[in-house]
């Protein structure tokens, strides 16, 4: 694993809901991380694949460890510190982690129905236009 200067948040840039969620995080959560759509990321260098990045948000920490889904969100919030640290840690500890994963899966499966979602959110990454 390659040591990174800053962690990286990888999201699906084709998904309107995902993009809106990331923009909200950028405005509200003071985390020092590189934020990149997986379509523009060097996924191999980050230690992941397009298939995984199209399925869930990813957090690549400074040590190069990749976390996905609710765990990625929890790690992002923990890294932000301050009042964000408490929910970030809490959502990574059972039994809250179980609930966080279930909610994340439910949202991910239905992201095309969420505010800002589009039909592209429903398609697997390899079947999207230009994908």
């Amino acid at each position: 694993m390659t040591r990174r200067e800053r962690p990286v948040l990888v999201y699906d840039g084709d998904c309107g809901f995902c993009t809106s969620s990331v923009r909200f995080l950028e405005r509200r959560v003071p985390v020092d991380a590189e934020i990149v759509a997986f379509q523009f990321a060097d996924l191999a260098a980050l230690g992941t694949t397009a298939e995984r990045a199209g399925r869930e948000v990813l957090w690549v920490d400074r040590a190069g460890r990749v976390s996905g889904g609710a765990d990625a969100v929890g790690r992002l919030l923990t890294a932000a510190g301050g009042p964000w640290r408490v929910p970030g840690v809490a959502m990574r500890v059972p039994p809250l982690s179980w609930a966080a994963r279930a909610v994340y899966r439910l949202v991910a499966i239905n992201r095309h129905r969420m505010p800002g979602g589009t039909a592209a959110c429903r398609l697997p990454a390899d079947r999207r236009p230009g994908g």
Side-chain angles (χ1 to χ4, degrees):
M1 283 186 218
T2 303
R3 183 104 180 126
R4 310 189 65 74
E5 284 186 37
R6 294 172 38 190
V8 181
L9 179 71
V10 181
Y11 70 99
D12 184 349
D14 286 339
C15 173
F17 175 73
C18 302
T19 301
S20 296
S21 298
V22 165
R23 297 300 166 247
F24 175 84
L25 286 171
E26 287 177 319
R27 288 189 311 271
R28 308 273 189 216
V29 181
V31 66
D32 180 26
E34 179 183 347
I35 300 174
V36 62
F38 85 83
Q39 293 85 348
F40 302 105
D42 182 348
L43 297 174
L46 292 172
T48 192
T49 63
E51 190 237 335
R52 183 173 184 194
R55 186 178 64 240
E56 61 186 354
V57 66
L58 301 173
W59 178 258
V60 183
D61 69 14
R62 286 181 175 91
R65 291 180 297 249
V66 181
S67 303
D71 192 46
V73 174
R75 290 183 186 280
L76 174 142
L77 294 174
T78 301
W84 298 103
R85 183 174 172 72
V86 174
V89 170
M91 68 186 293
R92 294 182 10 241
V93 177
L96 289 178
S97 63
W98 305 331
R101 287 181 189 131
V103 169
Y104 185 91
R105 281 284 115 222
L106 187 63
V107 170
I109 290 167
N110 291 290
R111 63 188 177 159
H112 62 284
R113 294 184 179 123
M114 304 299 281
T118 64
C121 300
R122 183 184 309 186
L123 296 173
D126 63 344
R127 292 188 39 225
R128 292 188 195 141

